[in-house]
Amino acid sequence: MNTSDLQTPIDLDEFTFSHIPVLSQEVITGLNIQPGGNYLDLTVGGGGHSRLILESAENTKITAVDQDLDALKAAQENLAEFGNRVNFIHSNFANFQFPANTYDGILADLGVSSYHLDNPERGFSFRNTANLDMRMNQEQSLTAADIINEWDEQELADIFFKYGEERLSRKIAKRIIEKRPFQTTTELAEAIFYSVPPKYRHGRIHPATRVFQSLRIAVNDELKVLETLIEKAPHALVTGGKIAIISFHSLEDRIVKHGLRNSELLRVLTKKPIIATEEEIKNNPRSRSAKLRIAERKNPAGE
């Protein structure tokens, strides 16, 4: 691996939240945006979906939540023209205090933004040399480096298998233990590359892809906070209010599917997930794996 990237200063102005909202029309239709409606965007990112909601009907209001301060700053700039129609809150959505019977619609887009993947400083990708970080909320202490360098072999194999669905999890974990400590993304990716049999090294995806996904999920406790979201959020909807959740891999989609279906407060409106059209995938390849599920708050009688 070439370490020359470490010598190249990073221009952070290159990396912005140019958030292209996934399944945008499907979200707006599914949430049934109404004039004067009160909406909650739990993953505001650069504000792409929130902007569409604010533009879709007069006097709509948004509570815009994100655990990443960079995201909130970008959204504040993007949505500045809407003034006090937007209330910005820095929080992980699992820790958000959901006020009862408040929102006409709730949205959570669980995808990792292009900003996080493309910005080397954040350490989400092995395309560039960076510290092993992967924290969505940079105020938390646990990083990917902590997990890779301190967790034991069985713990590493378990998260690679559970969160990355990596069949070679034990082989990869063994190699990591032998070669650690690791400081950078590319060092780790190289070790993973040479830990797998040659026939796996030049497949459709890089051998480190699933491991990096599993580390990101573990660092940010993504599946647990998603379960907490689905448990808490329905209470914050008014009767007839909609919740829309966009997931990007099977582990998330499974939790969303069963969580919405098993909620006593919700009626599922999407028997099958809504997926991107061929045209959208062509314009935004990252929409390829997006799955949208929508549910509605039942009335108190359960009807």
Side-chain angles (χ1 to χ4, degrees), residues 135-154:
R135 293 171 297 169
M136 292 287 189
N137 180 359
Q138 292 189 291
E139 294 182 353
Q140 78 172 42
S141 58
L142 182 70
T143 67
D146 295 330
I147 292 175
I148 285 295
N149 294 321
E150 296 174 14
W151 289 21
D152 67 33
E153 185 175 334
Q154 186 61 54

Side-chain angles (χ1 to χ4, degrees), residues 30-300:
L31 289 177
N32 190 26
I33 307 301
Q34 297 295 315
N38 189 13
Y39 298 91
L40 173 62
D41 186 345
L42 289 166
T43 49
V44 68
H49 283 114
S50 281
R51 169 173 283 277
L52 290 174
I53 291 170
L54 291 161
E55 291 176 343
S56 292
E58 290 184 338
N59 299 319
T60 51
K61 292 185 178 180
I62 286 277
T63 299
V65 179
D66 209 291
Q67 62 180 328
D68 189 325
L69 285 171
D70 288 347
L72 276 184
K73 180 180 178 182
Q76 286 173 325
E77 293 175 359
N78 185 24
L79 304 176
E81 67 193 84
F82 298 101
N84 61 9
R85 290 172 62 190
V86 189
N87 178 31
F88 296 95
I89 296 177
H90 178 225
S91 174
N92 181 301
F93 54 61
N95 298 325
F96 180 71
Q97 300 299 310
F98 290 92
N101 305 306
T102 300
Y103 300 108
D104 298 288
I106 296 174
L107 171 65
D109 176 354
L110 306 177
V112 181
S113 71
S114 300
Y115 170 86
H116 288 122
L117 293 172
D118 295 341
N119 183 347
E121 188 180 67
R122 301 299 293 269
F124 284 90
S125 170
F126 48 84
R127 289 179 299 184
N128 297 282
T129 298
N131 289 332
L132 283 164
D133 191 330
M134 300 194 192
R135 293 171 297 169
M136 292 287 189
N137 180 359
Q138 292 189 291
E139 294 182 353
Q140 78 172 42
S141 58
L142 182 70
T143 67
D146 295 330
I147 292 175
I148 285 295
N149 294 321
E150 296 174 14
W151 289 21
D152 67 33
E153 185 175 334
Q154 186 61 54
E155 288 174 315
L156 292 177
D158 285 348
I159 66 166
F160 299 160
F161 183 77
K162 181 179 179 183
Y163 298 154
E165 299 178 294
E166 174 55 68
R167 291 180 298 159
L168 300 174
S169 58
R170 292 181 181 179
K171 189 180 290 289
I172 293 170
K174 186 174 188 293
R175 177 79 170 194
I176 287 172
I177 296 295
E178 291 170 352
K179 295 293 184 179
R180 70 187 188 185
F182 295 94
Q183 300 300 324
T184 69
T185 53
T186 45
E187 287 173 352
L188 177 60
E190 182 179 37
I192 295 168
F193 183 83
Y194 288 110
S195 73
V196 303
K199 67 178 180 178
Y200 291 104
R201 292 176 189 168
H202 303 288
R204 189 170 58 85
I205 65 170
H206 190 285
T209 301
R210 293 188 180 93
V211 171
F212 270 64
Q213 173 184 297
S214 66
L215 282 172
R216 191 200 78 226
I217 290 172
V219 167
N220 299 290
D221 202 14
E222 292 179 20
L223 302 186
K224 180 62 177 176
V225 299
L226 176 55
E227 290 172 353
T228 302
L229 160 68
I230 296 173
E231 178 187 339
K232 290 182 176 181
H235 297 275
L237 287 169
V238 299
T239 298
K242 312 293 193 297
I243 181 168
I245 303 178
I246 304 172
S247 62
F248 286 82
H249 57 75
S250 59
L251 297 174
E252 289 177 336
D253 183 56
R254 201 173 301 136
I255 292 173
V256 175
K257 175 183 177 180
H258 294 294
L260 297 182
R261 186 175 65 190
N262 295 334
S263 172
E264 295 180 353
L265 300 178
L266 298 175
R267 175 172 49 253
V268 174
L269 301 180
T270 48
K271 289 185 177 180
K272 292 185 177 180
I274 298 170
I275 59 175
T277 62
E278 291 184 10
E279 182 178 357
E280 178 173 3
I281 292 170
K282 182 180 179 181
N283 294 327
N284 181 15
R286 284 178 176 160
S287 68
R288 181 183 304 276
S289 55
K291 293 182 177 180
L292 169 64
R293 294 186 186 271
I294 304 168
E296 179 182 59
R297 174 75 186 265
K298 299 176 184 177
N299 67 29

